[in-house]
Amino acid sequence: MNALPHLFIIDRDGRIAAMHRGYGEDSLERILEEINAQLAKPVPPAAEGGAGTSGPSAP
């Protein structure tokens, strides 16, 4: 890495959807757009239910 911070946006499939090197106030809007675009995508069937729902239920 040749710049800090290094930001990775990971999609619902666990792949890198976007990468940003460095930081500037002018990049914030673009980063938020990319995050919101990923959140707007449908949840893949294997990921529905969220984390922790396959384990035993609490008493």
Side-chain angles (χ1 to χ4, degrees), residues 1-58:
M1 287 188 230
N2 56 3
L4 291 175
H6 229 79
L7 171 76
F8 295 92
I9 298 172
I10 308 299
D11 70 11
R12 293 184 188 269
D13 294 323
R15 295 180 298 216
I16 296 172
M19 179 186 71
H20 295 272
R21 285 178 260 159
Y23 176 77
E25 288 292 323
D26 56 327
S27 63
L28 184 58
E29 187 173 333
R30 178 72 181 146
I31 291 169
L32 290 174
E33 288 172 1
E34 290 172 348
I35 291 170
N36 287 327
Q38 291 303 314
L39 291 173
K41 291 182 179 181
V43 176
E48 288 181 358
T53 59
S54 62
S57 59

